[in-house]
Amino acid sequence: LTSASDDSAPHFDAMVARLVDRNDHVAQEAEEAIAAMGAPGAVCFARRLGSPSVELRCLCALALARMGELALPHLDSLVDRLQDSELAVQETAARALAPPPCGIEWGIAAVASASVAATVARRLECFGQSDAMARRRVEEVLAKLGPDGWLAFMPHLESSPRPCVRRHAANALGRICPAAAAAESHLRAAVQLEQRAARAKVAAALGGRLARDGDQAVRRAAAEALGRLGGGLSTRAAEACRLVPHPDVQGLAQRLLARRPASAWARSDAGVGAEARASEDILDQLHCIRQKCADRQEALTAAWDTTRTEGVALFKPRPFGLLSSPGSEQVAVAA
């Protein structure tokens, strides 16, 4: 069948049925045989993405993604499975669209990451308020695609006619970029530089939405995303937005600057002086507390000494068998 792809076309259904065979070896051989046919095999997998069988849809999604460039004409069909009625198929489609494990060179995302990101991000324009789960899947896929996924949000953030799409794009970038920055130290130097360049573009786009967007919810989402992004990029964007002659933009920028990390603020002269004054106040308070404790300790010690002296005098032992009566001391001495 593999050597004669044209003649084997009528037998595709029988071969696809073997993908869910109980014998794992048979199922693997069936997948490899269909994939070896090239473009006709990719068409076969893509058509079965709408199968009534949940298991078959999952297997075809993974098999299609493993075909790399041959799967690009069917990328839309694969992205459609992110909105599948079955959660298992949604998760499988997201895993198929994400990059393969490190060191593996096959997979649709390994050969065309930017194309996958752009196709997935376009679905943001189709989602409504009830498609929160599908929107989350899109965000997960784009987050795993790295800088290509971040930049795929940019056209929708900057030029989407729907304010809800711009707002969702800003919120997603505010979640994705800081999480990637936290894990950046474990990446290669070249990848770190690529991510920093992408974050600079994201910060500039978010600053533009904060300064120019006509929807208040989008401006607030952009400000929140810049606040999560942090660093000098968000600070410069906020300082630029503070000059925009719009009260809401100026207020959001001012609040954003007020939430800067303490380390950046403490490097200024005002920050150093405020830290010194705070330290002196704390030391004065500690000194007063110690002095009060010392005075209290002295008072307690004096009270204890007085009580002990009185107790010793009260319970002082007397000679056995003698009554405390006048003249008893002389009797005791005579005895």
Side-chain angles (χ1 to χ4, degrees):
L1 290 173
T2 303
S3 60
S5 59
D6 293 337
D7 297 334
S8 63
H11 306 287
F12 270 153
D13 290 336
M15 295 177 66
V16 170
R18 293 304 95 204
L19 291 175
V20 293
D21 196 277
R22 294 181 179 180
N23 189 302
D24 293 339
H25 181 71
V26 174
Q28 182 177 357
E29 290 291 338
E31 178 184 341
E32 292 177 356
I34 297 174
M37 296 176 185
V43 173
C44 173
F45 286 135
R47 287 177 178 174
R48 271 65 181 189
L49 289 175
S51 170
S53 171
V54 175
E55 184 180 3
L56 186 58
R57 295 203 299 272
C58 292
L59 291 172
C60 288
L62 293 175
L64 182 62
R66 282 193 281 264
M67 296 190 71
E69 293 182 356
L70 294 175
L72 288 177
H74 313 287
L75 188 55
D76 284 323
S77 299
L78 189 57
V79 175
D80 286 340
R81 293 305 98 200
L82 293 175
Q83 294 178 268
D84 196 276
S85 58
E86 293 292 334
L87 181 61
V89 180
Q90 295 178 18
E91 294 176 348
T92 304
R95 190 164 67 252
L97 291 166
C102 182
I104 299 178
E105 298 300 330
W106 51 257
I108 189 170
V111 298
S113 177
S115 298
V116 173
T119 304
V120 173
R122 280 198 295 270
R123 295 307 171 98
L124 292 171
E125 301 289 346
C126 307
F127 293 151
Q129 295 296 330
S130 60
D131 296 322
M133 184 61 70
R135 191 181 299 109
R136 178 183 173 185
R137 297 295 178 201
V138 167
E139 183 178 331
E140 290 176 356
V141 173
L142 293 177
K144 292 178 180 178
L145 290 172
D148 287 335
W150 309 349
L151 298 179
F153 279 109
M154 305 286 278
H156 308 281
L157 174 66
E158 295 176 337
S159 58
S160 175
R162 300 174 61 195
C164 63
V165 174
R166 301 197 300 271
R167 175 167 53 85
H168 290 314
N171 289 330
L173 289 171
R175 287 187 291 265
I176 293 173
C177 294
E184 193 176 70
S185 59
H186 304 288
L187 302 176
R188 299 191 307 272
V191 179
Q192 292 183 17
L193 291 176
E194 184 181 4
Q195 289 196 0
R196 290 170 186 170
R199 274 202 303 276
K201 294 179 181 179
V202 168
L206 290 172
R209 287 301 91 201
L210 175 58
R212 298 189 300 272
D213 202 283
D215 188 88
Q216 184 181 21
V218 177
R219 293 196 299 268
R220 293 184 182 277
E224 289 293 331
L226 283 171
R228 296 192 193 103
L229 194 62
L233 295 173
S234 61
T235 300
R236 287 194 291 271
E239 289 175 346
C241 292
R242 192 169 54 176
L243 304 177
V244 176
H246 191 288
D248 185 50
V249 175
Q250 291 178 352
L252 289 172
Q254 192 64 35
R255 284 197 292 272
L256 185 59
L257 290 172
R259 289 163 47 189
R260 283 182 298 179
S263 58
W265 175 75
R267 285 195 293 267
S268 64
D269 294 338
V272 173
E275 282 189 353
R277 289 192 298 273
S279 300
E280 291 175 358
D281 293 341
I282 293 172
L283 290 176
D284 290 341
Q285 293 176 12
L286 289 175
H287 179 71
C288 293
I289 292 172
R290 290 196 188 100
Q291 188 63 40
K292 290 180 180 179
C293 290
D295 295 342
R296 181 63 176 166
Q297 183 65 33
E298 290 180 0
L300 290 174
T301 302
W304 168 248
D305 291 340
T306 303
T307 304
R308 186 176 57 179
T309 303
E310 293 176 353
V312 170
L314 181 62
F315 295 101
K316 184 177 180 180
R318 294 175 180 176
F320 179 78
L322 297 180
L323 298 176
S324 58
S325 58
S328 60
E329 291 80 1
Q330 289 82 0
V331 176
V333 171

